[in-house]
Amino acid sequence: MIRDRGTMKWTAMMLPEHVQLIREWKQEDFAEASRELTEWELEELQQTIDCAVCQHKIITLTVWEGSRYLQWTGTIASLNQDAQELILETNTKMKHIPLAYIHAARLEDDGCD
């Protein structure tokens, strides 16, 4: 079997701009695709967020950002219906999260009473 170094042997002959474009292209190629939530999932998400707002509980949100899912944990400072965003207060800062980008929510405390 031939042991080849792949594209590594060709990078010396490439311009830095080309190498950067190839890296970006590979990153886009392996990017995760966002999925649509069902009506049931949206209802459950709304109930969990409402519970966290009313009772000031700690919540973990799974958010779609920059072609991947990220998790943010904190308390919900406010809901801005006009801007369609949620303001999450984490340990270090206030995070503005568009409601359309939230894919899951989990209460860190006990459930709602």
Side-chain angles (χ1 to χ4, degrees):
M1 176 180 216
I2 299 174
R3 292 182 49 125
D4 194 10
R5 294 181 293 160
T7 58
M8 194 169 79
K9 64 183 173 185
W10 299 106
T11 55
M13 293 188 288
M14 293 179 153
L15 293 173
E17 296 85 13
H18 294 155
V19 174
Q20 179 64 28
L21 288 172
I22 289 173
R23 285 186 185 135
E24 289 173 6
W25 175 65
K26 283 183 181 180
Q27 188 175 17
E28 288 175 11
D29 205 26
F30 292 112
E32 199 174 335
S34 175
R35 67 176 192 84
E36 291 290 321
L37 297 175
T38 65
E39 192 172 328
W40 292 87
E41 291 171 322
L42 288 171
E43 180 69 29
E44 183 180 340
L45 182 62
Q46 180 181 357
Q47 289 176 357
T48 305
I49 290 173
D50 287 344
C51 180
V53 169
C54 292
Q55 298 184 3
H56 304 290
K57 295 189 178 244
I58 297 173
I59 190 168
T60 298
L61 299 173
T62 303
V63 180
W64 177 256
E65 283 186 19
S67 73
R68 62 185 174 161
Y69 288 106
L70 299 175
Q71 288 191 339
W72 296 96
T73 302
T75 56
I76 298 174
S78 68
L79 283 169
N80 187 344
Q81 294 296 332
D82 295 332
Q84 290 291 306
E85 71 178 3
L86 176 144
I87 300 171
L88 187 72
E89 185 178 344
T90 64
N91 291 337
T92 58
K93 62 181 177 176
M94 301 291 268
K95 178 77 176 156
H96 294 259
I97 301 171
L99 294 176
Y101 293 172
I102 300 173
H103 281 267
R106 184 181 74 242
L107 290 174
E108 296 300 321
D109 297 338
D110 296 327
C112 280
D113 297 330

